Amino acid sequence: KNEVEQSPQNLTAQEGEFITINCSYSVGISALHWLQQHPGGGIVSLFMLSSGKKKHGRLIATINIQEKHSSLHITASHPRDSAVYICAVKETSGSRLTFGEGTQLTVNP
Amino acid sequence: EAGVTQSPTHLIKTRGQQATLRCSPISGHTSVYWYQQALGLGLQFLLWYDEGEERNRGNFPPRFSGRQFPNYSSELNVNALELEDSALYLCASSFWLQPQHFGDGTRLSIL
């Protein structure tokens, strides 16, 4: 069992739809990251969370420490949101990040 | 401010050769991390350097090694290249336990 699991693995949506990507983890963490990976590999850090909720534009990230679960929401999705979204956790025992397998999101016009 | 820069962007090698990948961290960052993303797989942690020392290592064979220079830039060396080493190699930098910032990666192809 992976320490960080994401669902779904693949997600196809129509432009304008509300999208949710989930991340569950099994280790104690000090922080959780949501990353966006564009075709070709460039990675953008979207959020770093240790509790509660953060919002940036159409993106919302939430985390429930007790349930060891985080969600990334995209409101009013757009084709330019098409990318791989990766959840990564920083374990309390160290500095390195442990990554989920990623969610491939495709938003069709 | 300049972000994390990696070079080269693409690297083509043959089996048995050695590859050297380079990473320049954001100014002020002392930690450099290396990750491998093989085709169809998630990111895998390779190495963490801080203040010139290797702090942690992922589950990779000794063929994968690296170093961090006094200016905090870093090299990743892969010896005796194998076909399975074909992947995107990402470098990230941070100041100690602060958020990591990622470069655009080096795509290594083994023929």
Side-chain angles (χ1 to χ4, degrees):
Chain A
K1 186 174 178 357
N2 294 330
E3 292 175 332
V4 181
E5 292 195 335
Q6 286 185 234
S7 63
Q9 285 187 306
N10 293 282
L11 180 57
T12 301
Q14 289 300 122
E15 184 173 357
E17 286 185 1
F18 180 84
I19 288 162
T20 297
I21 300 171
N22 296 300
C23 175
S24 297
Y25 52 92
S26 58
V27 295
I29 70 169
S30 58
L32 181 144
H33 297 254
W34 280 103
L35 309 170
Q36 181 190 52
Q37 184 175 26
H38 297 287
I43 282 186
V44 174
S45 179
L46 298 174
F47 296 103
M48 186 182 76
L49 296 164
S50 55
S51 66
K53 180 170 80 173
K54 286 189 176 180
K55 185 177 187 292
H56 181 73
R58 295 181 294 106
L59 301 177
I60 303 167
T62 64
I63 188 168
N64 185 317
I65 297 296
Q66 288 73 30
E67 294 184 4
K68 297 188 174 180
H69 180 270
S70 176
S71 293
L72 176 68
H73 306 284
I74 305 175
T75 62
S77 59
H78 190 276
R80 64 175 175 266
D81 298 326
S82 298
V84 175
Y85 292 84
I86 302 169
C87 170
V89 300
K90 183 186 292 184
E91 298 181 33
T92 51
S93 60
S95 176
R96 72 183 198 190
L97 297 179
T98 302
F99 296 87
E101 295 294 320
T103 295
Q104 173 70 62
L105 171 65
T106 303
V107 181
N108 295 316
Chain B
E1 79 185 353
V4 177
T5 56
Q6 290 187 243
S7 63
T9 305
H10 294 93
L11 188 57
I12 299 174
K13 294 285 185 179
T14 57
R15 288 179 60 188
Q17 286 188 313
Q18 183 212 27
T20 298
L21 289 62
R22 296 180 175 82
C23 174
S24 293
I26 290 173
S27 177
H29 287 187
T30 59
S31 281
V32 171
Y33 305 79
W34 287 97
Y35 299 90
Q36 182 198 64
Q37 185 181 33
L39 189 63
L41 300 178
L43 281 164
Q44 302 291 324
F45 168 74
L46 260 169
L47 290 160
W48 169 33
Y49 291 96
D50 183 79
E51 295 284 2
E53 293 188 16
E54 183 180 301
R55 301 291 184 178
N56 203 352
R57 182 182 180 85
N59 188 26
F60 281 84
R63 303 187 292 107
F64 290 82
S65 65
R67 53 181 174 167
Q68 186 179 33
F69 299 98
N71 66 353
Y72 302 114
S73 66
S74 176
E75 276 183 358
L76 173 68
N77 295 293
V78 188
N79 294 320
L81 287 165
E82 300 179 3
L83 293 176
E84 66 200 37
D85 298 332
S86 293
L88 178 70
Y89 290 84
L90 285 166
C91 169
S93 75
S94 74
F95 177 72
W96 192 230
L97 298 180
Q98 297 301 309
Q100 297 178 29
H101 298 254
F102 288 83
D104 287 336
T106 293
R107 189 163 295 281
L108 175 62
S109 299
I110 312 302
L111 304 179

